[in-house]
Amino acid sequence: MLYTKVFYEDREIENERLELTDKGSLYFLGSNVTFRHCTLVLKVSGRNLIFDQGTRFIGCTFEVKQELKNHQDWVFASLRGCRFKGRLSGCDFGLWPGYSEKAGHGSIEDCDFSEARLDGCRIMGCDPSTLSFPKWPCFTILDPIRRAPELRGAKWPGRFGRVTVEDLHTQPAPTRSLTYHAPSIAKRMETTEEELRAVIEKFDCIVY
């Protein structure tokens, strides 16, 4: 398939609504571009959405109309005061220099995920206390690597303990938080969201 290439680079874009929805296009949100107070409507897969180092989003709203899966390019971007709506899974945000040679410019602060559904999404190398996470049925484990021994000490339902919790210490070193969607992970881990919540409620390092 031949894709149409759409480039945004070397400029500042302000107060615009950008529809990134054409599945036949590759959207390059390139180097040295700033989006300020824009609304970006996303309805393509992660492979159609390409960020480069130095892409900046300030006060923008992302309306995710099609679940965005395993999109790590966010770690190339600087996000400040942005809002996310819609479903994202397996996405990483923030500073993760070890991800690639170009990933030393990423950051995230003062962003709002309260209207999003996150599953398997991580905040890397940045302070999650500046962020608003989605409420239950999503839940967010803060400082998962350091708190892993404490979390392993609990009796978790289904396979959640021996798969998800048991492997928390193997997360990349910059991992500062990890958010799951309880109905989705409960199905994968052969348990129920009610059984998960009964254990989650015991920990102050989990927000829900």
Side-chain angles (χ1 to χ4, degrees), residues 139-157 160-162 164-169 178 180 199-207:
F139 63 95
T140 301
I141 303 172
L142 302 175
D143 202 4
I145 298 172
R146 188 174 67 85
R147 302 300 287 264
E150 177 186 352
L151 293 166
R152 283 198 297 269
K155 183 174 176 59
W156 294 92
F160 188 81
R162 64 179 183 270
T164 305
V165 176
E166 190 64 32
D167 288 344
L168 283 178
H169 69 286
L178 180 56
Y180 288 108
V199 185
I200 285 168
E201 290 175 343
K202 300 176 181 179
F203 292 94
D204 61 5
C205 62
I206 304 179
V207 295

Side-chain angles (χ1 to χ4, degrees), residues 115-126:
E115 295 179 74
R117 195 196 85 177
L118 305 182
D119 189 36
C121 294
R122 300 180 293 197
I123 301 300
M124 313 297 287
C126 295

Side-chain angles (χ1 to χ4, degrees), residues 20-25 27 40-49 62-71 74 85-89 91 117:
L20 311 185
T21 59
D22 179 12
K23 293 174 174 54
S25 294
Y27 295 99
L40 294 95
V41 180
L42 310 180
K43 197 177 179 182
V44 291
S45 70
R47 66 176 175 270
N48 294 66
L49 190 62
F62 295 92
E63 297 182 2
V64 182
K65 300 296 187 180
Q66 167 187 306
E67 183 172 4
L68 189 60
K69 300 179 181 179
N70 303 318
H71 189 57
W74 296 108
K85 303 177 181 182
R87 296 180 298 159
L88 301 100
S89 59
C91 295
R117 195 196 85 177

